[in-house]
Amino acid sequence: QVQLVESGGGLVQAGGSLRLSCAASGLTFSSPYKMGWFRQAPGKEREFVARIMRSGGDTYYADSVKGRFTISKDNAKNTLYLQMNSLEPEDTAVYYCAAGTSVKYAYWGQGTQVTVSS
């Protein structure tokens, strides 16, 4: 059974930092073609944040987080990370990690809450 479990969320003041982790079981990170982070704020639809390809050398970010967030993964630990710096109240959302093929994400975590206060 494939399972993705996010952790590291919490309450932080604007300008602060958080590091989210996504631990995977039932698959190794060498298998999914891509892994990514998404978020969903209250009253809004799910939004793409960042993704990383299997090799780890190709990353892509939403314009809203570019320069502030960094996605990375450790294949040996089967863990995906999202380092979030210079957090803003607009970053408040439930953050989800996902893994999938080149055309769609097949597996999703349960989400972790990130709240940024002004």
Side-chain angles (χ1 to χ4, degrees):
Q1 182 181 11
V2 175
Q3 187 175 23
L4 303 176
V5 180
E6 302 94 336
S7 62
L11 176 64
V12 64
Q13 291 186 349
S17 298
L18 285 173
R19 188 194 193 198
L20 305 183
S21 298
C22 173
S25 62
L27 81 162
T28 59
F29 281 9
S30 62
S31 297
Y33 184 72
K34 62 182 179 182
M35 298 195 70
W37 288 96
F38 294 77
R39 66 187 183 186
Q40 186 168 18
K44 296 184 178 180
E45 295 185 352
R46 185 181 61 191
E47 175 189 21
F48 166 79
V49 175
R51 72 110 171 96
I52 188 168
M53 307 307 286
R54 184 194 61 80
S55 68
D58 185 9
T59 58
Y60 183 75
Y61 300 89
D63 288 342
S64 59
V65 307
K66 194 175 301 181
R68 300 187 296 119
F69 291 11
T70 302
I71 187 172
S72 63
K73 64 189 182 81
D74 187 332
N75 288 353
K77 297 180 179 179
N78 268 8
T79 302
L80 179 73
Y81 303 99
L82 184 68
Q83 178 67 46
M84 306 185 296
N85 299 325
S86 301
L87 283 163
E88 304 167 353
E90 292 75 17
D91 297 316
T92 295
V94 177
Y95 284 71
Y96 302 89
C97 69
T101 68
S102 62
V103 296
K104 62 182 179 182
Y105 290 96
Y107 306 105
W108 294 84
Q110 86 290 342
T112 185
Q113 177 70 49
V114 172
T115 303
V116 184
S117 64
S118 60

